[in-house]
Amino acid sequence: MEPLSRRNMLRAGGALGALGALSVATPAKAWTWSPQGSVAGAGVGADPRWVWDEEADPLVASLIDRGDVPMVNTLLRTWKKNGQPLPAGLPADLHAFMERARQLPPWADQAKLDLAVDFNEKRGLYLGVLYGLASGMMSTVIPKEALAVYYSQGGADMKDRISKTAKLGYDIGAVNAYRPDGEMIVTAVKTRLVHAAVRHLLPQSPYWTQVAEEDIPISQRDIMVTWHSLPTTVMRKLTDWKVPIPEAESQAFLHSWQVGAYLLGVRDEYIPNSWAEANSQATQVLDPVLRPTPEGIKLADILLNLGKGIDGGLLTKGILGSFTRFMLGDEVAGWLKIPRELVWDPLLRTAWGPFIAVREGLLPFPLAPKAYWLFDEFLRKAALLFLSEAKPISIEIPLTNRPT
Ligand code: HEM
């Protein structure tokens, strides 16, 4: 059977028919999260599945069609810092858009953004591992994301893609992330342009159109799903692990990601205003969509092989796999065909809790067994792999899909 898609529904009976078909055909996926729980505090409550980026999408499609992208990419390579003026010579429409898109939202709170930096510094080791092995591996079982990534240009060179994605994780946590000498605004605005390009390009991929559920990828709902695989999942894990986090720091971390979502083009009415609201949205849109796809399994395998050769074997595929199992559970590990590890699986199950307690100073430090130091060393290496290794790499607008 042909997959249910907006295209099929539109074909079947026009826009109104499509909305009707949607509510009947996909009741479980209906969007019921209230905009009252958003940073806007109000909104029409329309399902963000049908909302993309009305400003960036036509603009980037036009840049591609009129052949401006190579020139734009060359110019944007020099645009690195938030406070830096845009390079001269950009097409006027792009320049005007980027000037608007680089502004922080009126609700951005600089004091919270500064405090988020403290949080990121204190928790940097955990964050590196969580972004890499919880969020990164989770992205391979978010089917729409896995398919989009696999069939887009970057899918053919995952190492390069990961370093670009890791750059965002690094920039959002770096000192001065959103200050004039930081880089997060630049990274987010460039990513918004890349996403717009992907919306134009992927529908032209003969592979993607065969497997995709929809005509146009990366809806605002999809962005929020991925967003939840990042800060919401990280906070869920830190809470599970009983890492003590002062309330103000937890709020600050959330805020840095709220601003991140805004800069990626997400409307205020879809950005949760609290962790409780984030969790309720994630329960609705993230948790139920997780499942394996052949493309996601291949991506996961590439990710697990990234540690090879970094440090003479400590970060072997087996350990990364074991951490993935520990963080995402047996079901996800099974989907991704991650083998069981005889040493690391039981060690993580029994020693991780006490290790966190020791690290957080809840238990007397001299009693820390050797295994805990092993974990600490692993954290350092893995954080380096997923975050600090993110070189000053340039995020560029793609012109093609994955080569055929
Ligand atoms: C590109 C981050 C949501 C699919 C990128 C890049 C970053 C990024 C930093 C630039 C890397 C590069 O150029 O390779 C994010 C963040 C998201 C998000 C932080 C949400 C909070 C999504 C979603 C999808 C998606 C929901 C798909 C459903 C892609 C694709 C590319 C891309 C296909 C381009 C890959 C390429 O051809 O190089 N994203 N993304 N992203 N993203 Fe996202």
Side-chain angles (χ1 to χ4, degrees):
M1 199 183 88
E2 232 185 320
L4 178 69
S5 74
R6 184 165 159 272
R7 178 174 42 231
N8 298 344
M9 290 190 293
L10 285 171
R11 240 191 256 134
L16 281 176
L19 287 175
L22 178 69
S23 52
V24 174
T26 57
K29 289 186 185 168
W31 173 266
T32 56
W33 189 79
S34 166
Q36 282 174 350
S38 71
V39 293
V44 288
D47 188 338
R49 187 174 174 186
W50 311 121
V51 182
W52 292 271
D53 191 332
E54 60 193 19
E55 270 201 280
D57 293 351
L59 171 65
V60 176
S62 146
L63 291 177
I64 294 174
D65 291 343
R66 62 195 204 225
D68 279 349
V69 169
M71 177 261 287
V72 164
N73 276 338
T74 307
L75 289 173
L76 287 184
R77 247 168 250 159
T78 61
W79 188 53
K80 292 179 177 165
K81 298 284 176 195
N82 299 335
Q84 206 180 328
L86 290 173
L90 288 175
D93 50 358
L94 177 65
H95 188 280
F97 165 74
M98 290 180 73
E99 282 300 355
R100 284 194 302 280
R102 70 190 293 192
Q103 304 305 319
L104 292 182
W107 43 264
D109 178 337
Q110 195 58 57
K112 279 189 178 176
L113 295 177
D114 289 343
L115 190 59
V117 173
D118 284 358
F119 170 82
N120 281 289
E121 271 176 6
K122 276 198 236 163
R123 305 293 172 210
L125 283 183
Y126 299 140
L127 290 176
V129 181
L130 284 166
Y131 284 149
L133 289 174
S135 314
M137 294 304 288
M138 186 179 277
S139 72
T140 68
V141 289
I142 298 174
K144 287 187 183 193
E145 192 180 347
L147 294 178
V149 168
Y150 190 84
Y151 291 110
S152 66
Q153 190 187 349
D157 184 354
M158 281 304 285
K159 201 159 186 187
D160 177 65
R161 199 196 123 79
I162 286 184
S163 54
K164 288 178 180 163
T165 308
K167 177 166 168 48
L168 188 141
Y170 177 80
D171 290 344
I172 200 170
V175 181
N176 297 340
Y178 290 105
R179 293 264 187 197
D181 52 343
E183 301 191 2
M184 180 57 191
I185 297 176
V186 172
T187 294
V189 171
K190 287 185 179 176
T191 301
R192 188 170 169 189
L193 296 175
V194 171
H195 285 161
V198 169
R199 292 190 192 101
H200 183 67
L201 294 169
L202 264 186
Q204 300 168 31
S205 155
Y207 302 101
W208 183 80
T209 42
Q210 271 174 34
V211 287
E213 274 179 43
E214 70 269 295
D215 297 4
I216 307 171
I218 323 186
S219 67
Q220 300 219 349
R221 181 164 170 162
D222 294 334
I223 295 189
M224 287 315 296
V225 169
T226 298
W227 190 92
H228 289 300
S229 74
L230 288 148
T232 312
T233 300
V234 164
M235 193 44 81
R236 282 175 171 178
K237 283 285 135 197
L238 291 174
T239 309
D240 280 359
W241 295 347
K242 300 192 174 50
V243 174
I245 300 168
E247 181 55 23
E249 286 183 24
S250 159
Q251 293 305 319
F253 176 60
L254 172 65
H255 193 63
S256 68
W257 275 99
Q258 289 167 327
V259 174
Y262 173 91
L263 290 170
L264 286 172
V266 178
R267 290 187 190 165
D268 286 359
E269 67 178 280
Y270 301 125
I271 304 174
N273 66 11
S274 66
W275 283 120
E277 288 295 344
N279 276 313
S280 100
Q281 194 186 83
T283 309
Q284 188 176 118
V285 298
L286 171 71
D287 303 342
V289 302
L290 301 181
R291 69 175 169 81
T293 55
E295 292 82 358
I297 293 169
K298 281 185 225 161
L299 294 178
D301 194 57
I302 297 171
L303 283 174
L304 290 177
N305 277 307
L306 280 184
K308 254 191 198 167
I310 292 252
D311 68 339
L314 180 66
L315 274 181
T316 57
K317 188 175 176 183
I319 305 177
L320 292 175
S322 192
F323 261 85
T324 304
R325 174 183 298 281
F326 179 64
M327 292 192 192
L328 299 182
D330 285 337
E331 187 179 34
V332 172
W335 289 344
L336 296 176
K337 304 189 188 309
I338 294 173
R340 291 195 180 269
E341 280 288 316
L342 287 177
V343 175
W344 280 89
D345 288 354
L347 191 64
L348 281 167
R349 272 199 307 273
T350 52
W352 187 256
F355 159 71
I356 296 277
V358 168
R359 237 187 153 262
E360 298 301 324
L362 301 180
L363 294 176
F365 220 68
L367 295 182
K370 258 197 169 147
Y372 299 171
W373 295 109
L374 203 61
F375 286 155
D376 216 72
E377 186 54 22
F378 170 83
L379 282 179
R380 264 173 230 293
K381 292 274 163 52
L384 192 77
L385 173 65
F386 289 111
L387 289 184
S388 321
E389 285 278 300
K391 298 178 209 79
I393 209 161
S394 166
I395 293 178
E396 310 217 336
I397 303 172
L399 267 174
T400 57
N401 291 310
R402 186 187 177 99
T404 50

Short mmCIF file of all heavy atoms in Angstrom, two decimals, residues 144-146 148-150 152-155 160-162 164-168 187 190-191 194-195 198 202 217-219 221-228 230 257 261 264 394-396 398 400, ligand 1:
data_model
loop_
_atom_site.label_atom_id
_atom_site.label_comp_id
_atom_site.label_asym_id
_atom_site.label_seq_id
_atom_site.Cartn_x
_atom_site.Cartn_y
_atom_site.Cartn_z
N LYS A 144 11.91 9.57 10.80
CA LYS A 144 11.94 10.66 9.81
C LYS A 144 13.32 11.31 9.76
O LYS A 144 13.79 11.71 8.71
CB LYS A 144 10.90 11.71 10.16
CG LYS A 144 9.49 11.29 9.88
CD LYS A 144 8.63 12.49 10.12
CE LYS A 144 7.18 12.20 9.93
NZ LYS A 144 6.42 13.44 9.88
N GLU A 145 13.95 11.42 10.92
CA GLU A 145 15.27 12.05 10.94
C GLU A 145 16.29 11.13 10.28
O GLU A 145 17.12 11.57 9.46
CB GLU A 145 15.68 12.36 12.38
CG GLU A 145 16.90 13.26 12.41
CD GLU A 145 17.37 13.62 13.81
OE1 GLU A 145 16.62 13.38 14.78
OE2 GLU A 145 18.48 14.14 13.93
N ALA A 146 16.22 9.85 10.62
CA ALA A 146 17.19 8.90 10.05
C ALA A 146 17.08 8.89 8.53
O ALA A 146 18.10 8.92 7.82
CB ALA A 146 16.94 7.51 10.62
N ALA A 148 15.85 11.27 6.54
CA ALA A 148 16.28 12.55 5.96
C ALA A 148 17.80 12.63 5.95
O ALA A 148 18.42 13.04 4.96
CB ALA A 148 15.67 13.71 6.74
N VAL A 149 18.41 12.23 7.06
CA VAL A 149 19.86 12.32 7.13
C VAL A 149 20.50 11.35 6.14
O VAL A 149 21.42 11.71 5.40
CB VAL A 149 20.34 12.03 8.58
CG1 VAL A 149 21.84 11.82 8.63
CG2 VAL A 149 19.94 13.19 9.49
N TYR A 150 19.99 10.14 6.10
CA TYR A 150 20.61 9.12 5.25
C TYR A 150 20.55 9.51 3.78
O TYR A 150 21.53 9.34 3.05
CB TYR A 150 19.90 7.77 5.46
CG TYR A 150 20.63 6.62 4.81
CD1 TYR A 150 21.68 5.99 5.46
CD2 TYR A 150 20.28 6.19 3.53
CE1 TYR A 150 22.37 4.95 4.87
CE2 TYR A 150 20.96 5.14 2.93
CZ TYR A 150 22.01 4.53 3.60
OH TYR A 150 22.69 3.50 3.00
N SER A 152 20.10 12.56 2.47
CA SER A 152 20.59 13.89 2.10
C SER A 152 22.09 13.79 1.82
O SER A 152 22.71 12.75 2.07
CB SER A 152 20.32 14.88 3.24
OG SER A 152 21.08 14.50 4.35
N GLN A 153 22.63 14.88 1.35
CA GLN A 153 24.05 14.89 0.97
C GLN A 153 24.96 14.41 2.11
O GLN A 153 25.88 13.63 1.92
CB GLN A 153 24.42 16.31 0.57
CG GLN A 153 25.77 16.43 -0.08
CD GLN A 153 26.15 17.90 -0.29
OE1 GLN A 153 25.34 18.81 -0.13
NE2 GLN A 153 27.36 18.13 -0.64
N GLY A 154 24.66 14.89 3.32
CA GLY A 154 25.52 14.58 4.47
C GLY A 154 25.51 13.11 4.85
O GLY A 154 26.43 12.63 5.52
N GLY A 155 24.46 12.39 4.44
CA GLY A 155 24.35 10.98 4.80
C GLY A 155 25.48 10.15 4.23
O GLY A 155 25.81 9.07 4.73
N ASP A 160 31.80 13.77 8.69
CA ASP A 160 31.72 15.20 8.47
C ASP A 160 30.42 15.75 9.05
O ASP A 160 30.39 16.77 9.73
CB ASP A 160 31.78 15.45 6.95
CG ASP A 160 31.65 16.91 6.60
OD1 ASP A 160 32.56 17.66 6.97
OD2 ASP A 160 30.64 17.31 5.98
N ARG A 161 29.34 15.02 8.80
CA ARG A 161 28.04 15.49 9.27
C ARG A 161 28.02 15.54 10.79
O ARG A 161 27.52 16.49 11.39
CB ARG A 161 26.93 14.56 8.78
CG ARG A 161 25.59 15.26 8.85
CD ARG A 161 24.41 14.38 8.76
NE ARG A 161 23.59 14.60 9.94
CZ ARG A 161 22.79 15.61 10.10
NH1 ARG A 161 22.64 16.50 9.16
NH2 ARG A 161 22.09 15.75 11.21
N ILE A 162 28.59 14.51 11.41
CA ILE A 162 28.55 14.49 12.87
C ILE A 162 29.37 15.62 13.45
O ILE A 162 28.96 16.26 14.41
CB ILE A 162 29.04 13.13 13.38
CG1 ILE A 162 27.90 12.19 13.08
CG2 ILE A 162 29.35 13.16 14.86
CD1 ILE A 162 27.99 10.88 13.50
N LYS A 164 29.72 18.45 12.19
CA LYS A 164 28.93 19.68 12.06
C LYS A 164 27.81 19.73 13.09
O LYS A 164 27.52 20.77 13.67
CB LYS A 164 28.33 19.76 10.65
CG LYS A 164 29.36 20.06 9.59
CD LYS A 164 28.70 20.06 8.23
CE LYS A 164 29.70 20.36 7.13
NZ LYS A 164 29.16 19.96 5.82
N THR A 165 27.17 18.58 13.31
CA THR A 165 26.08 18.56 14.28
C THR A 165 26.65 18.74 15.68
O THR A 165 26.06 19.44 16.51
CB THR A 165 25.31 17.23 14.16
OG1 THR A 165 24.95 17.07 12.80
CG2 THR A 165 24.06 17.24 15.00
N ALA A 166 27.81 18.13 15.93
CA ALA A 166 28.42 18.27 17.24
C ALA A 166 28.79 19.73 17.49
O ALA A 166 28.79 20.20 18.61
CB ALA A 166 29.65 17.39 17.35
N LYS A 167 29.07 20.44 16.42
CA LYS A 167 29.42 21.85 16.57
C LYS A 167 28.27 22.60 17.24
O LYS A 167 28.49 23.46 18.09
CB LYS A 167 29.75 22.47 15.21
CG LYS A 167 30.04 23.96 15.30
CD LYS A 167 30.69 24.50 14.04
CE LYS A 167 30.72 26.01 14.00
NZ LYS A 167 31.20 26.68 15.19
N LEU A 168 27.04 22.24 16.88
CA LEU A 168 25.91 22.92 17.51
C LEU A 168 25.87 22.60 19.01
O LEU A 168 25.69 23.48 19.84
CB LEU A 168 24.60 22.51 16.82
CG LEU A 168 23.37 23.29 17.24
CD1 LEU A 168 22.48 23.57 16.04
CD2 LEU A 168 22.57 22.58 18.31
N THR A 187 25.66 29.44 14.04
CA THR A 187 25.42 28.02 13.75
C THR A 187 23.93 27.75 13.53
O THR A 187 23.54 27.05 12.61
CB THR A 187 25.97 27.16 14.91
OG1 THR A 187 27.39 27.32 14.92
CG2 THR A 187 25.66 25.70 14.73
N LYS A 190 22.66 29.32 10.21
CA LYS A 190 23.14 28.53 9.06
C LYS A 190 22.36 27.21 8.98
O LYS A 190 22.01 26.74 7.90
CB LYS A 190 24.64 28.26 9.16
CG LYS A 190 25.49 29.49 8.87
CD LYS A 190 26.98 29.13 8.88
CE LYS A 190 27.85 30.34 8.56
NZ LYS A 190 29.29 30.03 8.64
N THR A 191 22.14 26.61 10.14
CA THR A 191 21.40 25.34 10.15
C THR A 191 19.98 25.55 9.63
O THR A 191 19.43 24.71 8.89
CB THR A 191 21.38 24.75 11.57
OG1 THR A 191 22.72 24.56 12.00
CG2 THR A 191 20.64 23.43 11.62
N VAL A 194 20.26 25.43 6.04
CA VAL A 194 20.49 24.05 5.56
C VAL A 194 19.17 23.28 5.57
O VAL A 194 18.83 22.58 4.61
CB VAL A 194 21.55 23.33 6.44
CG1 VAL A 194 21.63 21.84 6.07
CG2 VAL A 194 22.91 23.97 6.28
N HIS A 195 18.42 23.39 6.66
CA HIS A 195 17.14 22.68 6.73
C HIS A 195 16.21 23.11 5.59
O HIS A 195 15.51 22.29 5.00
CB HIS A 195 16.47 22.92 8.08
CG HIS A 195 17.11 22.16 9.21
ND1 HIS A 195 16.93 22.48 10.53
CD2 HIS A 195 17.93 21.07 9.21
CE1 HIS A 195 17.59 21.63 11.30
NE2 HIS A 195 18.21 20.77 10.52
N VAL A 198 17.28 21.39 2.52
CA VAL A 198 16.90 19.98 2.54
C VAL A 198 15.41 19.83 2.18
O VAL A 198 15.02 18.91 1.45
CB VAL A 198 17.20 19.36 3.93
CG1 VAL A 198 16.57 17.98 4.07
CG2 VAL A 198 18.71 19.29 4.17
N LEU A 202 15.32 17.19 -0.81
CA LEU A 202 14.95 15.79 -0.58
C LEU A 202 13.74 15.33 -1.39
O LEU A 202 13.72 14.20 -1.88
CB LEU A 202 14.70 15.54 0.91
CG LEU A 202 15.86 14.98 1.72
CD1 LEU A 202 15.38 14.67 3.14
CD2 LEU A 202 16.47 13.73 1.10
N PRO A 217 10.18 17.30 4.12
CA PRO A 217 10.74 16.89 5.41
C PRO A 217 10.90 18.07 6.39
O PRO A 217 10.68 19.23 6.02
CB PRO A 217 12.12 16.35 5.02
CG PRO A 217 12.50 17.12 3.80
CD PRO A 217 11.22 17.44 3.07
N ILE A 218 11.32 17.74 7.59
CA ILE A 218 11.71 18.71 8.63
C ILE A 218 10.59 19.72 8.91
O ILE A 218 10.76 20.94 8.77
CB ILE A 218 13.04 19.43 8.33
CG1 ILE A 218 14.07 18.49 7.66
CG2 ILE A 218 13.63 19.99 9.61
CD1 ILE A 218 15.46 19.08 7.47
N SER A 219 9.44 19.20 9.29
CA SER A 219 8.37 20.09 9.76
C SER A 219 8.76 20.62 11.14
O SER A 219 9.71 20.13 11.76
CB SER A 219 7.06 19.32 9.87
OG SER A 219 7.17 18.37 10.92
N ARG A 221 7.12 20.12 13.71
CA ARG A 221 6.92 19.01 14.65
C ARG A 221 8.17 18.12 14.68
O ARG A 221 8.63 17.71 15.74
CB ARG A 221 5.69 18.20 14.24
CG ARG A 221 5.38 17.05 15.19
CD ARG A 221 3.97 16.57 14.96
NE ARG A 221 3.67 15.34 15.65
CZ ARG A 221 2.44 14.91 15.88
NH1 ARG A 221 1.40 15.61 15.50
NH2 ARG A 221 2.21 13.77 16.49
N ASP A 222 8.72 17.84 13.49
CA ASP A 222 9.94 17.03 13.43
C ASP A 222 11.08 17.71 14.21
O ASP A 222 11.84 17.05 14.90
CB ASP A 222 10.41 16.83 11.98
CG ASP A 222 9.43 15.99 11.18
OD1 ASP A 222 8.69 15.18 11.77
OD2 ASP A 222 9.39 16.15 9.94
N ILE A 223 11.17 19.03 14.04
CA ILE A 223 12.26 19.73 14.74
C ILE A 223 12.08 19.58 16.25
O ILE A 223 13.04 19.32 16.98
CB ILE A 223 12.33 21.22 14.35
CG1 ILE A 223 12.68 21.34 12.87
CG2 ILE A 223 13.36 21.96 15.20
CD1 ILE A 223 12.98 22.74 12.39
N MET A 224 10.83 19.67 16.71
CA MET A 224 10.63 19.52 18.15
C MET A 224 10.89 18.09 18.62
O MET A 224 11.38 17.87 19.72
CB MET A 224 9.23 20.00 18.57
CG MET A 224 9.06 21.53 18.53
SD MET A 224 10.44 22.47 19.26
CE MET A 224 10.37 21.97 21.00
N VAL A 225 10.59 17.11 17.76
CA VAL A 225 10.91 15.71 18.12
C VAL A 225 12.42 15.59 18.35
O VAL A 225 12.88 15.08 19.39
CB VAL A 225 10.45 14.75 17.00
CG1 VAL A 225 11.02 13.35 17.23
CG2 VAL A 225 8.93 14.69 16.92
N THR A 226 13.19 16.12 17.40
CA THR A 226 14.65 16.05 17.54
C THR A 226 15.12 16.88 18.73
O THR A 226 16.03 16.48 19.46
CB THR A 226 15.31 16.53 16.23
OG1 THR A 226 14.90 15.63 15.20
CG2 THR A 226 16.82 16.54 16.32
N TRP A 227 14.48 18.01 18.92
CA TRP A 227 14.82 18.86 20.07
C TRP A 227 14.66 18.05 21.37
O TRP A 227 15.52 18.09 22.25
CB TRP A 227 13.88 20.07 20.07
CG TRP A 227 14.18 21.18 21.01
CD1 TRP A 227 14.94 22.28 20.76
CD2 TRP A 227 13.69 21.33 22.36
NE1 TRP A 227 14.95 23.11 21.87
CE2 TRP A 227 14.19 22.55 22.86
CE3 TRP A 227 12.87 20.56 23.18
CZ2 TRP A 227 13.91 23.02 24.14
CZ3 TRP A 227 12.58 21.02 24.46
CH2 TRP A 227 13.10 22.23 24.93
N HIS A 228 13.59 17.26 21.46
CA HIS A 228 13.38 16.46 22.68
C HIS A 228 14.42 15.35 22.82
O HIS A 228 14.71 14.91 23.94
CB HIS A 228 11.97 15.87 22.71
CG HIS A 228 10.92 16.92 22.94
ND1 HIS A 228 10.89 17.70 24.07
CD2 HIS A 228 9.88 17.32 22.17
CE1 HIS A 228 9.87 18.55 23.99
NE2 HIS A 228 9.25 18.35 22.84
N LEU A 230 17.32 15.88 22.36
CA LEU A 230 18.48 16.59 22.91
C LEU A 230 18.20 17.04 24.35
O LEU A 230 18.33 16.23 25.26
CB LEU A 230 18.86 17.73 21.95
CG LEU A 230 19.50 17.21 20.64
CD1 LEU A 230 19.19 18.09 19.44
CD2 LEU A 230 21.01 17.11 20.81
N TRP A 257 18.19 26.16 25.24
CA TRP A 257 17.62 25.36 24.15
C TRP A 257 16.33 25.94 23.60
O TRP A 257 15.99 25.74 22.43
CB TRP A 257 17.43 23.91 24.61
CG TRP A 257 18.70 23.13 24.44
CD1 TRP A 257 19.63 22.82 25.39
CD2 TRP A 257 19.20 22.57 23.21
NE1 TRP A 257 20.66 22.11 24.84
CE2 TRP A 257 20.42 21.94 23.50
CE3 TRP A 257 18.73 22.54 21.90
CZ2 TRP A 257 21.18 21.30 22.52
CZ3 TRP A 257 19.48 21.90 20.93
CH2 TRP A 257 20.70 21.28 21.25
N ALA A 261 15.84 26.68 19.71
CA ALA A 261 14.70 26.28 18.87
C ALA A 261 14.19 27.49 18.09
O ALA A 261 13.91 27.41 16.88
CB ALA A 261 13.58 25.69 19.73
N LEU A 264 16.29 28.26 15.22
CA LEU A 264 16.16 27.27 14.13
C LEU A 264 14.85 27.49 13.36
O LEU A 264 14.55 26.74 12.44
CB LEU A 264 16.19 25.85 14.70
CG LEU A 264 17.55 25.33 15.17
CD1 LEU A 264 17.39 23.99 15.88
CD2 LEU A 264 18.53 25.19 14.00
N SER A 394 32.69 24.49 8.82
CA SER A 394 31.72 25.43 8.27
C SER A 394 30.45 24.68 7.83
O SER A 394 30.52 23.71 7.08
CB SER A 394 32.41 26.11 7.10
OG SER A 394 31.52 26.78 6.31
N ILE A 395 29.32 25.13 8.33
CA ILE A 395 28.04 24.53 7.94
C ILE A 395 27.60 25.17 6.64
O ILE A 395 27.49 26.39 6.57
CB ILE A 395 27.01 24.72 9.07
CG1 ILE A 395 27.43 23.90 10.29
CG2 ILE A 395 25.61 24.35 8.60
CD1 ILE A 395 26.55 24.02 11.50
N GLU A 396 27.39 24.37 5.62
CA GLU A 396 27.14 24.93 4.28
C GLU A 396 25.82 24.44 3.70
O GLU A 396 25.39 23.31 3.97
CB GLU A 396 28.28 24.54 3.35
CG GLU A 396 29.63 24.84 3.99
CD GLU A 396 30.68 25.32 3.02
OE1 GLU A 396 30.56 25.01 1.83
OE2 GLU A 396 31.61 26.02 3.48
N PRO A 398 23.58 22.67 1.31
CA PRO A 398 23.84 21.63 0.31
C PRO A 398 23.17 21.94 -1.02
O PRO A 398 22.20 22.69 -1.09
CB PRO A 398 23.22 20.38 0.94
CG PRO A 398 22.16 20.88 1.85
CD PRO A 398 22.59 22.26 2.31
N THR A 400 22.89 19.15 -3.31
CA THR A 400 22.44 17.85 -3.83
C THR A 400 21.96 16.98 -2.68
O THR A 400 22.15 17.31 -1.51
CB THR A 400 23.61 17.08 -4.49
OG1 THR A 400 24.63 16.94 -3.50
CG2 THR A 400 24.14 17.78 -5.71
C1 HEM B 1 21.59 19.54 9.02
C2 HEM B 1 20.97 20.36 13.75
C3 HEM B 1 16.41 18.83 13.33
C4 HEM B 1 17.67 16.73 9.17
C5 HEM B 1 21.78 19.97 10.30
C6 HEM B 1 22.95 20.66 10.78
C7 HEM B 1 22.79 20.85 12.12
C8 HEM B 1 21.51 20.33 12.49
C9 HEM B 1 23.77 21.52 13.07
C10 HEM B 1 24.12 21.10 9.93
C11 HEM B 1 25.03 19.96 9.72
C12 HEM B 1 25.34 19.72 8.30
O1 HEM B 1 25.30 20.63 7.49
O2 HEM B 1 25.64 18.56 7.99
C13 HEM B 1 19.64 20.08 14.03
C14 HEM B 1 18.98 20.36 15.29
C15 HEM B 1 17.68 19.96 15.16
C16 HEM B 1 17.55 19.39 13.84
C17 HEM B 1 19.66 20.98 16.51
C18 HEM B 1 16.55 20.04 16.14
C19 HEM B 1 16.59 20.63 17.30
C20 HEM B 1 16.38 18.07 12.19
C21 HEM B 1 15.28 17.23 11.78
C22 HEM B 1 15.64 16.62 10.62
C23 HEM B 1 16.96 17.10 10.28
C24 HEM B 1 13.99 17.08 12.55
C25 HEM B 1 14.88 15.65 9.76
C26 HEM B 1 13.69 15.21 9.99
C27 HEM B 1 18.82 17.36 8.75
C28 HEM B 1 19.44 17.12 7.46
C29 HEM B 1 20.54 17.96 7.39
C30 HEM B 1 20.60 18.67 8.67
C31 HEM B 1 18.94 16.15 6.39
C32 HEM B 1 21.50 18.16 6.22
C33 HEM B 1 22.48 17.07 6.07
C34 HEM B 1 23.36 17.31 4.87
O3 HEM B 1 22.95 17.11 3.76
O4 HEM B 1 24.48 17.72 5.07
N1 HEM B 1 20.92 19.81 11.36
N2 HEM B 1 18.75 19.50 13.19
N3 HEM B 1 17.37 17.98 11.26
N4 HEM B 1 19.54 18.29 9.43
FE1 HEM B 1 19.12 18.96 11.25
#
